[in-house]
Amino acid sequence: MPRCRGPGRISVSGATAAGESFTYLGEMGEARGGARAAGVVAALSAAGIPSAYLPQVGEEIWRKLALAVMSPVSSVLRLTVGQVWASDEGRSLVRRMFDEVVAVALTQQVRLDPERAWAHASQVFEGTGEHYTSMCADVMNGRRTELSSMAGAVHRIGREQGVPVPTHGVVLEMLGALGVR
């Protein structure tokens, strides 16, 4: 993943440079059918950052949101992914948030295979180990987080669509009590 090293300067991880990590782009909503995403893919690829255009990028976004449920859980608990994953209660909490994401995605015409997506998420969590999610690191360092555009968006869309999202609600309230936005 590229890291900002200053204005106009980034570094790319070894995995990205080796082609083991991909950046997926596409267009949604009013932008659908345009050529902007394809142009960005071409520019990233020319710069050595493996990229691909996805006509159905919404599916990839919702898969990432399902995977990202670890972030608010680790942030509330201020634990590493490995620590959360090591407890039955932590895994259960992550799974409940994951299931809520899958249900909300369906209201957006995105059908995720829950067991396949969960198997992938489990593999990622097991392999991550003693690493703090970026959101948890931001919370511990008093920085603004992406909470509202991730778990907050799932919660908002779920409520708008009549999908129960109680676990998201509780975790968001707990983070709000900590002053996290």
Side-chain angles (χ1 to χ4, degrees), residues 59 63 95 98 112-123:
E59 291 175 22
R63 264 193 290 280
R95 180 64 197 239
F98 174 91
L112 299 177
D113 177 339
E115 293 316 311
R116 184 170 165 227
W118 180 250
H120 172 70
S122 297
Q123 182 180 14

Side-chain angles (χ1 to χ4, degrees), residues 5-58:
R5 297 294 183 207
R9 297 179 50 89
I10 64 169
S11 65
V12 178
S13 74
T16 299
E20 297 168 2
S21 176
F22 249 75
T23 298
Y24 296 104
L25 292 127
E27 295 148 345
M28 296 174 57
E30 293 178 19
R32 188 178 300 263
R36 289 181 285 188
V40 174
V41 167
L44 290 172
S45 296
I49 299 173
S51 307
Y53 175 81
L54 290 180
Q56 301 297 325
V57 74

Side-chain angles (χ1 to χ4, degrees), residues 93-114:
L93 184 58
V94 169
R95 180 64 197 239
R96 286 196 310 271
M97 287 188 74
F98 174 91
D99 289 341
E100 290 175 9
V101 170
V102 170
V104 174
L106 194 54
T107 72
Q108 304 302 297
Q109 290 72 52
V110 174
R111 185 183 239 39
L112 299 177
D113 177 339

Side-chain angles (χ1 to χ4, degrees), residues 121-143:
S122 297
Q123 182 180 14
V124 169
F125 301 148
E126 288 169 11
T128 300
E130 300 312 306
H131 168 78
Y132 288 101
T133 64
S134 62
M135 184 183 292
C136 185
D138 288 341
V139 167
M140 291 189 301
N141 289 298
R143 294 185 298 252

Side-chain angles (χ1 to χ4, degrees), residues 145-170:
T145 71
E146 66 273 27
L147 183 65
S148 65
S149 61
M150 293 170 56
V154 171
H155 185 253
R156 184 182 66 256
I157 294 168
R159 291 183 58 195
E160 289 168 358
Q161 299 295 320
V163 175
V165 283
T167 311
H168 273 77
V170 169

